[in-house]
Amino acid sequence: MSNRTKSTPQAREPSETPRRAADRIRDTAFDLFYREGIRAIGVEEIVNRAGVTKPSLYRAFESKDELIAQYLRDYDRRFRDNFAAQGAGHPDDPKAQLLAYVDYLAARASTDGYRGCGLTNAVIEYPDPAHPAHQVGVESKEALRERLRELCRGMGAPDAEELADGLLLLIEGSYVSGQAFGARSPARVLGAMARRLIEASLATR
Amino acid sequence: MSNRTKSTPQAREPSETPRRAADRIRDTAFDLFYREGIRAIGVEEIVNRAGVTKPSLYRAFESKDELIAQYLRDYDRRFRDNFAAQGAGHPDDPKAQLLAYVDYLAARASTDGYRGCGLTNAVIEYPDPAHPAHQVGVESKEALRERLRELCRGMGAPDAEELADGLLLLIEGSYVSGQAFGARSPARVLGAMARRLIEASLATR
DNA sequence: CAGAGTACGTACCGATCGGTAACATTGTCA
DNA sequence: TGACAATGTTACCGATCGGTACGTACTCTG
């Protein structure tokens, strides 16, 4: 076990194609799993498209399941970053932060070829709660639920938990409807519905 | 013994296990596909659990894809029947009809082991629009969307299309959230949120 | 009772699945 | 130059995938 770090990490251009085999596999798996579905993609296809070989995959990942879990952890990280980035323009304004993401999602989920949320899709593809893909997906959704609750509390909602769950339903509905309806997706009304629900909920006493 | 009634195909003991091979396959496939996912279930497992053999499957169905499509058509039929049944107690009251289904769904989607909507799941499992599973799923969703629009028009909503899409988002969100959260699903607030959204939408002018 | 259909099972196919063993090659640093 | 880590090459494994050629048992009809 030598975890020796090179003192001169040079010639490391992130945009370059070759890179490390493990990274190429990770990126390729991310793209294929998300686009085509996890169960639809075999390890053979991943290594072929990544331009590497199967032993390289199994040197970097214990199994396909572990690669799947890694894909979903990557997806979760990107999701959180993006969620935060959308609201970054509205510090100290929870409602504006949430609406920024909601408007972003409404546009994105109403484009042809949209594939929804990789984490939601994984939970559906692996209904067994014991499967790592299911677990990572559920954990991410629980974190999203909690984040929405924080935002709703910040808005001063009388019942923040209830409003957060309502918004979560709208968001998850946008993920899946976008896949079924493409550019004419019901997700196009997500922004208007979220606003209406928020206003009505803030008005309750 | 005397069976002069060969023209009438009866002698049907509905509760009996053996029945015809094709029917057993259909029922078993329905259950397994819904419970475990379509891609997760092979034809071998279907015929084993149905107590028949593989050639019997391929005599009744052209291919696995055709069996899948049949499963989804069956699912769609049961869904429409159930949707209608939930609102049957409120003739000439579109809002009550819709809320009856919504309340039913809120309860069902908040039980452990809930597996969501088989049609939604199929669209996610088969993202390729050319695949029959995807197509049958999408067609069913379009019909549901239209049904919701009818109901919203019947309620006198100023923008029935918009409200229908909002309700569709809530409903689809309940399907998928139920799988991730089990008994503590956000779907428990579906009834309250649908009511709030409907009232707020009816009040717009 | 003969014979034709019908309904089903036995046994098998090639392809692909996830995963591995053994060895050759490369590039980097000392 | 030589050690070492990373990667490629090749060939393979048992299991399972969707799908089929072919033989057998039952039943209805003539």
Side-chain angles (χ1 to χ4, degrees):
Chain A
M1 292 302 205
S2 70
N3 54 355
R4 186 132 185 62
T5 48
K6 330 174 171 210
S7 49
T8 52
Q10 88 310 352
R12 201 67 76 245
E13 283 328 304
S15 61
E16 256 181 45
T17 326
R19 300 189 331 266
R20 302 279 291 250
D23 295 334
R24 296 182 50 96
I25 291 167
R26 225 158 125 147
D27 292 352
T28 306
F30 189 102
D31 200 59
L32 289 176
F33 281 159
Y34 179 63
R35 231 83 235 169
E36 316 275 341
I38 301 174
R39 296 198 111 116
I41 297 296
V43 292
E44 193 90 41
E45 187 163 357
I46 293 174
V47 297
N48 285 346
R49 293 237 212 175
V52 299
T53 57
K54 231 192 295 191
S56 286
L57 191 156
Y58 284 98
R59 279 179 209 120
F61 303 94
E62 213 180 48
S63 62
K64 188 195 177 185
D65 278 359
E66 180 48 36
L67 176 60
I68 294 169
Q70 192 58 56
Y71 150 62
L72 293 171
R73 284 190 288 265
D74 288 346
Y75 195 101
D76 178 59
R77 184 178 36 76
R78 296 195 203 183
F79 170 77
R80 292 183 203 227
D81 290 349
N82 183 42
F83 190 92
Q86 297 302 325
H90 311 276
D92 303 320
D93 188 346
K95 192 200 286 186
Q97 287 174 21
L98 191 137
L99 291 177
Y101 174 73
V102 151
D103 288 337
Y104 154 84
L105 175 58
R108 189 159 135 68
S110 305
T111 58
D112 277 325
Y114 177 67
R115 255 292 278 176
C117 171
L119 297 150
T120 300
N121 297 350
V123 171
I124 290 174
E125 277 202 89
Y126 292 89
D128 178 6
H131 196 283
H134 189 95
Q135 290 172 354
V136 176
V138 167
E139 284 164 21
S140 175
K141 292 306 173 188
E142 279 166 353
L144 171 60
R145 190 187 204 182
E146 184 50 40
R147 183 82 191 93
L148 292 174
R149 284 174 169 170
E150 287 172 20
L151 291 172
C152 289
R153 279 192 288 268
M155 294 182 210
D159 192 338
E161 282 71 27
E162 185 188 51
L163 177 56
D165 281 353
L167 293 169
L168 184 53
L169 294 184
L170 287 175
I171 289 170
E172 291 291 335
S174 298
Y175 291 149
V176 299
S177 293
Q179 300 187 61
F181 291 95
R184 287 187 161 61
S185 169
R188 287 199 295 183
V189 307
L190 171 61
M193 294 301 107
R195 283 172 175 82
R196 204 166 293 169
L197 202 56
I198 289 170
E199 296 314 316
S201 297
L202 293 182
T204 59
R205 85 215 74 197
Chain B
M1 290 295 204
S2 61
N3 55 349
R4 68 290 191 308
T5 60
K6 77 133 188 186
S7 51
T8 48
Q10 84 320 353
R12 194 75 74 240
E13 283 87 84
S15 61
E16 253 182 48
T17 326
R19 300 189 333 265
R20 302 283 283 236
D23 294 334
R24 298 181 50 92
I25 291 166
R26 219 155 129 152
D27 293 352
T28 307
F30 189 101
D31 201 59
L32 288 176
F33 282 159
Y34 179 63
R35 231 80 236 170
E36 316 275 341
I38 301 174
R39 295 198 112 116
I41 296 296
V43 292
E44 192 90 43
E45 187 163 356
I46 293 173
V47 297
N48 285 346
R49 293 237 211 174
V52 299
T53 57
K54 238 190 291 192
S56 287
L57 191 157
Y58 284 97
R59 272 177 224 117
F61 304 92
E62 214 180 45
S63 61
K64 189 196 176 184
D65 278 359
E66 180 49 37
L67 176 61
I68 294 169
Q70 192 58 55
Y71 151 61
L72 292 171
R73 285 190 288 264
D74 288 347
Y75 196 100
D76 178 60
R77 184 179 35 76
R78 295 196 202 183
F79 170 78
R80 292 183 202 229
D81 290 349
N82 184 41
F83 191 93
Q86 298 302 326
H90 312 275
D92 303 321
D93 188 345
K95 191 200 289 188
Q97 287 174 20
L98 191 134
L99 291 177
Y101 173 74
V102 151
D103 288 336
Y104 154 83
L105 175 58
R108 190 159 133 68
S110 307
T111 57
D112 278 325
Y114 177 66
R115 254 291 280 176
C117 171
L119 297 151
T120 300
N121 297 350
V123 171
I124 289 174
E125 277 201 88
Y126 293 88
D128 179 6
H131 195 284
H134 190 94
Q135 289 171 355
V136 176
V138 168
E139 284 163 23
S140 175
K141 292 305 173 188
E142 279 164 353
L144 172 59
R145 190 187 203 181
E146 185 49 40
R147 185 79 191 96
L148 291 174
R149 284 173 169 170
E150 288 173 19
L151 291 171
C152 289
R153 280 192 290 267
M155 295 182 210
D159 191 338
E161 281 71 26
E162 185 188 53
L163 176 57
D165 282 353
L167 293 169
L168 185 53
L169 293 184
L170 287 175
I171 290 170
E172 291 290 336
S174 298
Y175 290 149
V176 300
S177 294
Q179 300 187 62
F181 292 94
R184 287 186 158 58
S185 170
R188 288 199 293 183
V189 307
L190 170 62
M193 295 300 107
R195 283 171 175 83
R196 205 165 292 170
L197 202 56
I198 290 170
E199 296 315 316
S201 298
L202 292 182
T204 61
R205 76 203 73 245

